[in-house]
Amino acid sequence: MTHTVSLLVENHEGVLSRIARLFDGRGYRLESLTTSPVPDDDVNRITLTVSGAHTALEKVEKQLEKFIDVIYLEVKLGDS
């Protein structure tokens, strides 16, 4: 099952790496990862497309919400 995760994060060194490791540690396969700046230089947008079970994604979502660098989080679940 493929899911899409959209994030707005603070533009700090190592944020992308920490987020990618979080998904890798939960057994998700990152299908695509896109980053882009937004008008505010202190913020970046990250969009991930991942494959994996819905239950594990809920755990990842809860951990992402705890990250200080994550400003906004949206998860779109794929069809089963």
Side-chain angles (χ1 to χ4, degrees), residues 17-80:
S17 176
R18 286 185 21 214
I19 291 171
R21 280 194 310 256
L22 177 64
F23 280 91
D24 184 48
R26 291 282 182 205
Y28 270 90
R29 180 172 162 230
L30 290 175
E31 306 257 339
S32 71
L33 185 147
T34 306
T35 64
S36 61
V38 295
D40 181 355
D41 289 337
D42 296 330
V43 178
N44 278 347
R45 179 180 309 281
I46 299 175
T47 305
L48 304 143
T49 305
V50 296
S51 294
H54 170 66
T55 54
L57 184 63
E58 288 176 343
K59 292 178 183 177
V60 170
E61 183 178 358
K62 288 177 183 176
Q63 285 186 310
L64 282 170
E65 289 172 348
K66 293 178 185 177
F67 278 12
I68 293 170
D69 298 319
V70 174
I71 299 167
Y72 173 78
L73 167 66
E74 180 180 356
V75 176
K76 293 183 182 179
L77 300 176
D79 296 331
S80 33

